Amino acid sequence: MRAFSRLIAAVVVCAAFFSTAASAAELHSISFWRWDTGKASRTAHHFSTNENGSSIAVGDLGNDGVAEVVIGAPIGASPEVRILRGDGSRIIAFLAYDKDMTQGVTVGVGDVNGDGKKEIVTGTGPGAVAQVRVFTALGTETMISGGFFPYGKEFKGGVNVAVADVDSDGRAEIITAPGPTGGPNVQIWSGDGVKKDDFFAFDNNFTGGLHIAAGDLDSDGRAEIVAALADASPPTVRIFSAPGRDGTFQKIREFTAIDSGFRGGLNLAIGDVDGDGRVEILVAPNSLGGPHVHVYRADGSLIGAFFSGDESDRGGVVLGVGHFSTGNEIVTMPAGHDAQKNAQEPKSMYVSVKDQRLFAYEHGRLVKTFLVATGMKGYPTPLGDFQVLAKPFKVNYRWSYGVGNPNNYDLGWVTWNLRFGPHVYIHYAPWRKVFGVRGSHGCVNVSKTDAQWIYAWADLKTPITIE
């Protein structure tokens, strides 16, 4: 057992463990790939696990020359960060945010305080206030209590993070980019939450969010920042260098990745895939595309590509690179972004009667999901395609099916209502204690917390599909 594993075992009784939500617990394949002469071959480390997540980061947290895999929780689950060995066994898990924050967690790894040990940097997922926090490898918050809010406490698009030393001062910086609904503003922060710089990586009118990675592409001791649109097209990868004489970040290169017509956004990673001492850029679909991983040189030329899973899986791929016991390897995991629901709509909703669950999407990407209660037998919720027709804050719910009918009801005034048909709403149900089972008279009942969120999030004419 390595030193890091022994240390974890000694303190595990002090760590807080929480199980992943059942809705997010289907098995995912985490695969390890050896890269050689432009081709990838799967290594013996491939395993199936319920450790799925919104993002992964790879880094040597134990300073023993062997990397660990850090996984940020998926949307719909408690905001865990989990650390795995290369064989898939779990080392430790901890909550990065309040347990009620279920919009997912993004992760990065790097030494942000210059102590020679790598920290874990986390960001909130889309739909949550963009908050960055820093933790030790044992899950203890460090540097700044409560983290910081790079885009203000009003922005709820979440935040993607990367960690690298961009100014060659011996300490890695925290690099942030906003999630969906945010402009392409990349920010650079010190580990103690002091903003050092920022720039716009794409046209500031774009609000679909960015994905970022960082690494020393030219071996000059300073990391470059790589950015791509998280959703929509074009599938352009841009590379930026640290500030020059004019004090601003410079775009030094861009190239089209995967296919010029691809519209699902890109996931990124940087690492030395072949152990030659030079880092490469890895690109994969964020959504709407099969698990097709492309590897590029720093100059943007394609080295090769491979499929990391079933080509019919259109949910995207998250990925990283690290040095494991058998050498440098690429790590891949399905992103699980079901982006085939109204991918071209800024916002959309899908209600599954079978699963008794509502899914909220932005540009086809899932941003929140929760249990509901649809119509009981004899009073079904209408199926089909609808849209938000009105947003009355209060509605008086009462109905008569005839004198003395036991199904008559008078529930009084109820807040947070979205009307999508004549007398049919998505609404708060204060009388209902259990969700996930049918029980309404045709409406879609939701809890107080979820009703407040969906009421504030949804716009008039937001599409709703119920099936």
Side-chain angles (χ1 to χ4, degrees):
M1 183 181 291
R2 302 195 305 274
F4 180 52
S5 298
R6 289 198 298 269
L7 179 59
I8 291 295
V11 300
V12 72
V13 293
C14 298
F17 285 83
F18 300 84
S19 61
T20 301
S23 62
E26 69 270 19
L27 289 180
H28 280 57
S29 293
I30 298 179
S31 298
F32 292 69
W33 304 83
R34 180 66 57 80
W35 188 263
D36 185 30
T37 60
K39 296 181 180 180
S41 57
R42 185 175 294 181
T43 70
H45 296 297
H46 172 79
F47 56 87
S48 293
T49 175
N50 63 357
E51 304 280 9
N52 58 322
S54 293
S55 70
I56 62 174
V58 179
D60 180 7
L61 293 171
N63 277 352
D64 58 359
V66 179
E68 284 74 35
V69 180
V70 181
I71 302 179
I75 293 172
S78 295
E80 278 188 331
V81 171
R82 287 149 284 160
I83 305 172
L84 306 183
R85 300 179 184 88
D87 62 3
S89 59
R90 180 188 286 199
I91 299 174
I92 194 173
F94 62 90
L95 280 186
Y97 300 94
D98 184 274
K99 62 181 178 60
D100 293 328
M101 198 291 290
T102 59
Q103 280 74 47
V105 178
T106 61
V107 290
V109 171
D111 181 8
V112 301
N113 60 9
D115 66 351
K117 301 176 182 178
K118 290 182 172 60
E119 286 75 42
I120 299 170
V121 178
T122 67
T124 49
V129 174
Q131 181 182 9
V132 174
R133 300 181 76 178
V134 182
F135 299 87
T136 69
L138 301 179
T140 302
E141 188 169 23
T142 183
M143 303 295 286
I144 176 172
S145 179
F148 59 92
F149 302 85
Y151 302 101
K153 294 184 178 180
E154 300 302 316
F155 176 66
K156 295 184 178 180
V159 56
N160 294 307
V161 296
V163 185
D165 186 357
V166 301
D167 55 10
S168 191
D169 66 351
R171 298 187 179 192
E173 280 70 46
I174 300 171
I175 305 154
T176 68
T181 73
N185 181 219
V186 177
Q187 299 186 0
I188 295 86
W189 296 76
S190 65
D192 55 1
V194 176
K195 185 178 176 182
K196 303 178 74 170
D197 215 327
D198 76 315
F199 64 94
F200 280 85
F202 289 84
D203 188 301
N204 59 12
N205 291 321
F206 176 77
T207 58
L210 287 184
H211 281 160
I212 50 173
D216 188 1
L217 294 170
D218 55 9
S219 303
D220 67 349
R222 300 190 302 177
E224 282 69 45
I225 297 173
V226 182
L229 303 183
D231 287 289
S233 60
T236 301
V237 176
R238 290 184 174 177
I239 304 171
F240 297 84
S241 66
R245 292 181 179 178
D246 64 354
T248 62
F249 276 82
Q250 302 293 316
K251 185 182 76 172
I252 58 176
R253 190 171 297 110
E254 72 173 49
F255 59 91
T256 299
I258 301 180
D259 180 87
S260 60
F262 180 66
R263 298 185 55 83
L266 302 176
N267 279 320
L268 302 169
I270 290 180
D272 182 3
V273 302
D274 52 11
D276 66 352
R278 294 175 294 182
V279 297
E280 286 78 33
I281 302 169
L282 288 81
V283 182
N286 180 47
S287 61
L288 289 181
H292 204 186
V293 179
H294 290 63
V295 181
Y296 296 88
R297 297 183 181 89
D299 63 5
S301 59
L302 179 66
I303 302 174
F306 66 98
F307 282 93
S308 63
D310 188 334
E311 296 181 30
S312 65
D313 181 358
R314 316 300 289 179
V317 178
V318 291
L319 66 174
V321 182
H323 182 80
F324 295 88
S325 58
T326 57
N328 289 24
E329 296 182 20
I330 302 168
V331 185
T332 64
M333 182 176 68
H337 296 156
D338 183 0
Q340 301 180 55
K341 310 290 187 185
N342 295 320
Q344 304 309 313
E345 294 287 349
K347 296 180 181 180
S348 60
M349 283 181 271
Y350 169 74
V351 177
S352 169
V353 173
K354 176 183 177 182
D355 297 327
Q356 291 294 291
R357 182 170 285 276
L358 185 148
F359 302 83
Y361 296 88
E362 291 180 3
H363 298 285
R365 183 177 180 184
L366 184 67
V367 295
K368 191 174 180 66
T369 179
F370 48 83
L371 293 173
V372 299
T374 63
M376 68 181 86
K377 185 177 180 180
Y379 301 92
T381 298
L383 307 180
D385 294 320
F386 308 90
Q387 62 179 353
V388 176
L389 300 174
K391 295 180 60 176
F393 181 67
K394 286 187 176 182
V395 172
N396 189 2
Y397 285 96
R398 57 183 179 182
W399 195 264
S400 174
Y401 295 98
V403 177
N405 191 308
N407 289 300
N408 293 343
Y409 59 86
D410 186 351
L411 302 172
W413 292 93
V414 174
T415 49
W416 305 300
N417 306 270
L418 302 175
R419 185 168 69 84
F420 62 91
H423 313 295
V424 188
Y425 298 79
I426 298 171
H427 67 83
Y428 172 40
W431 54 86
R432 189 171 303 286
K433 304 302 180 185
V434 177
F435 295 88
V437 295
R438 303 186 191 194
S440 79
H441 284 78
C443 290
V444 178
N445 291 178
V446 299
S447 70
K448 181 178 180 179
T449 298
D450 295 331
Q452 290 174 316
W453 186 89
I454 200 72
Y455 180 83
W457 174 85
D459 300 319
L460 291 176
K461 297 185 179 181
T462 293
I464 303 170
T465 297
I466 303 176
E467 63 182 33

